[in-house]
Each structure stands twice: as C-alpha cells, then as structure tokens.
Amino acid sequence: MSEQMRLDKCLAMLGIGSRSEVKQMIRRGLVSIDGIPAADPERKLDPEHSRIIVSGTEYVFKAERTVMLHKPAGVLTAARDKKQRTVMDLLPPMYTAMGCMPAGRLDKDTTGLLILTSNGTLAHRLIDPNKEVGKTYEARIDGCFTEADIAAFRSGLHIDDSDGVFDARPAKARILEQGDGSGSSLVEVRIAEGKYHQVKRMFAMRGYAVLALKRVRIGRLRLDPALEPGAYRELTQAEIGLMEQEDGE
Ligand code: URA
C-alpha cells in the first residue's frame, strides 16, 4: 500500500490542472475514484492503487517516472527556459508536475538517448563521474579517423582548449564508416564522464570537427529504434537496471 494523498494534489501531480483547476473539476463532478464520483478535493486516496477517472479518461499514478526520450536537434536540455524550447516541452505536463528532470545533458544540436526521471537518486547515479556509467555516441566527423586516433582516445586525451584543461579518461572508439581522405567518418565512442562538450572537444584535439553527434547507449540501454526524434516512452525496471551495467559492445 502506498502513501495516502489528497485528491486535488494527486490530480495536480498527474498534470491534469493546477490545484484550483482540479478543485473546480472535482466540484463539477468530473472525477470518480474506484467508480464512485468524488466531491471532496481534500479526500484522501492511495493514488497508486485507485482507479482515477477524469472526464472519462483513466489516469495511472506512479510514484516515480523514468522516460527515455529521443532528443531531436534544436531543443535545450533544461528543465525550463524563458525563450527556447526545452526537452520538457516534448513531454505531457504530467511529467513536469511529477518532478521529472533531465538526468545529464546533451548539447542543443546533439540528438539521441536522453533520460528524464523523477528519481533523484537514479539521476545522480547516471551523472556521477565516479560511478563511470558509460555513454556511447556516434559521431559523424569531417575527415578520416585512423588507428592512431583510436589509440590516442584509448590512452586518455589531454584536453587544452578555450573551454579549459583536463585529462580525459581512456575512451573506447571504433570506426563504423571510414572516410576516404576527403569524406567524413562515422565513429562510435564511449566515454565514462561528461565534461562540457566532451566528445566534440576530444575530436577537436585530434583535428576533427564533429558534424553530427548522437547518443545511442547509456550503460547497456540502447535508444529504442522505434522512437522517432521527439518521441518518448517510459522505461521498465529491467531497462533502468541496464543503464548501470557495463556496456560490453
Ligand atoms: N559531448 C558533447 O560534445 N556533446 C554532447 O551533447 C554530449 C557529449
């Protein structure tokens, strides 16, 4: 049995409306709990085990929500922004109301796997550099990536650029498509930390510009190929567990 909660709070957390809007809905008889019309906004219920229907639509309450989003290019990874569209704008309001936040950050032009969760402990584990959760990217770069570049990534690059200085940890890289000298290459790279613009800066230190960057895995969890850019779905517990497993690929 989960905790008892006030009905108006529960409906607001489901993103159905503000506290005052949902109170109005309750008073207008639009809400039923377990088949019985609810008239009192202050009544208590066990939200995870109650059948909640508002205006004919059933809502499922879960204490925690974790979703995988296929982040498209052109949206900010932020909880909110005054001017620009953020990843939160791609989810129904319920997710904001339930406290979901991006766990980690992708640049505005980076696409791919982004996790949003209301579970602060999980978010912390995913972004904590000491936990070494591997993040795997596919980078389209201008030029011909070589075995010498792979070896340099593997030994740990010394980054020294206008954004600062640091020693990147050893990173595993693999060529998926080889450039022919004038063309571009597609390179898979796995890093276990998340410094500012890290992947782009690593390639830049080897003389390559990143033309497009996509995150494809976190730990062993892959971006669901059925998700179009901008689409999302909730994760199962098993999938959440995959994120903390070493990516053997
Ligand atoms: N590294 C980058 O340079 N950009 C990202 O968005 C993620 C990792």
Side-chain angles (χ1 to χ4, degrees), residues 124-137:
H124 187 256
R125 283 206 304 271
L126 294 180
I127 58 179
D128 182 354
N130 299 319
K131 295 276 192 287
E132 298 193 15
V133 172
K135 318 265 173 23
T136 305
Y137 296 83

Side-chain angles (χ1 to χ4, degrees), residues 11 23 32 47 50-52 70 78 86 88 92-93 95 103 108 124 133 136 141 148-149 206 211 215 219 223 241:
L11 298 185
K23 277 184 183 152
S32 77
S50 302
R51 190 148 183 257
I52 304 165
H70 185 163
T86 76
M88 295 312 299
Y95 290 96
K108 188 174 173 185
H124 187 256
V133 172
T136 305
I141 58 166
D149 295 317
R206 298 295 299 172
L211 307 173
R215 183 153 68 192
L223 174 64

Side-chain angles (χ1 to χ4, degrees), residues 105-107 110 137 191 195 197-201 213:
R105 188 173 170 283
L106 294 177
D107 296 338
T110 301
Y137 296 83
I191 60 173
K195 298 264 176 10
H197 293 332
Q198 176 152 348
V199 174
K200 292 173 186 162
R201 291 166 72 190
L213 187 63

Side-chain angles (χ1 to χ4, degrees), residues 232-244:
Y232 72 93
R233 70 165 172 80
E234 295 211 10
L235 293 183
T236 63
Q237 275 307 321
E239 288 176 318
I240 291 172
L242 283 180
M243 287 194 280
E244 294 183 79

Side-chain angles (χ1 to χ4, degrees), residues 201-212:
R201 291 166 72 190
M202 287 168 63
F203 280 104
M205 287 312 290
R206 298 295 299 172
Y208 304 103
V210 172
L211 307 173

Side-chain angles (χ1 to χ4, degrees), residues 135 137 145 149-157 168-174 188-193 198-199 202-203:
K135 318 265 173 23
Y137 296 83
F145 204 70
D149 295 317
I150 293 178
F153 272 38
R154 193 170 45 231
S155 5
L157 286 174
R169 291 202 199 138
K172 200 165 158 187
R174 161 165 97 95
E188 183 186 88
V189 57
R190 173 147 52 93
I191 60 173
E193 53 199 334
Q198 176 152 348
V199 174
M202 287 168 63
F203 280 104

